[in-house]
Amino acid sequence: MWRVTLAVGIALIAGCSGFFPASPTADDSDPVTPAPVPTDSPEATVAVPTSDGTVDVARLLDRHQQALSTRSFHRHVEQAGPQNTLDVWVDREREVQRVRRRFGPISNDVVLANRTVYTNVRDDPDTPYATRDATPNTSLLASPAGTDLLRQLLSDTAYRQVDSVRWNGRPVAVLAMTNTAETPTTENGSEIGRSRLYVDRQGVIRYVEHTERRPDRPDIDTTMTVTTDIERVPIPWWLAESDPYSSGSM
């Protein structure tokens, strides 16, 4: 089984731009969900898995993974600026995926459709993309739902549910750290300034805001937004002439 994998941790977003062969691409003008501003509502009651009085993060991530395993979605991760981003689109019905990573002015873009992986080509104006055959089990990410990234961000922090509210018309549980800030346990340990999650009744982690100060490494300032039940994956300009949605094979 051939698999294209991308690391979904912090190294993916802040790492080198040559992760796979791609070239700078034009902005697709994708909307970015702003930070949530919840409105209190007595009907907005959402329960999350707990253990010993705190949120069971492992079970929370398992629920998130399972909830997205059969649904179409768009996951947007942003770290330290709007040009340092990762976007993942998955269309379950038509079996189309897209992964786009931006680091400054460079954009790496890959699309999977019709058992073919399309990769934007660098430094060749006459060849907009390269192709490779894929198997039915091919995926562009080891963790499309983002559980690998979430595990890195959240695994060493204890959370409690501080509210149940409505956000974007959807009931969500609001999870926050048990303490307002975590004191480093070692000389080079991290200090978490803010870490907050919004989780819906189906278990989807809709929004994450996480800031972390690290004395010996770059600081972490990460947000993640998940939008489910998208109608289609936006096709990049370089693949417009071979748009899988208009190819007649879907």
Side-chain angles (χ1 to χ4, degrees), residues 189-206:
S190 299
E191 179 178 350
I192 300 176
R194 179 180 175 85
S195 190
R196 184 158 290 215
L197 294 72
Y198 291 70
V199 185
D200 71 11
R201 286 172 173 166
Q202 287 71 44
V204 177
I205 301 175
R206 292 283 172 175

Side-chain angles (χ1 to χ4, degrees), residues 8 57 61 64 145-155 197 205 208 224:
V8 294
V57 173
L61 297 185
H64 174 78
T147 49
D148 286 354
L149 171 60
L150 292 172
R151 192 170 290 109
Q152 291 183 37
L153 294 179
L154 311 178
S155 59
L197 294 72
I205 301 175
V208 176
M224 187 180 90

Side-chain angles (χ1 to χ4, degrees), residues 10 77-79 149 153 208-211 220-224:
I10 300 304
V77 181
E78 184 171 315
Q79 183 180 19
L149 171 60
L153 294 179
V208 176
E209 181 183 12
H210 186 88
T211 62
I220 295 174
D221 188 355
T222 301
T223 60
M224 187 180 90

Side-chain angles (χ1 to χ4, degrees), residues 76-96:
H76 176 80
V77 181
E78 184 171 315
Q79 183 180 19
Q83 287 189 317
N84 196 359
T85 63
L86 170 70
D87 285 280
V88 179
W89 292 271
V90 177
D91 182 343
R92 298 289 185 190
E93 181 179 356
R94 299 171 182 83
E95 298 183 346
V96 180

Side-chain angles (χ1 to χ4, degrees), residues 10-22:
I10 300 304
L12 178 142
I13 305 175
C16 61
S17 61
F19 199 87
F20 48 78

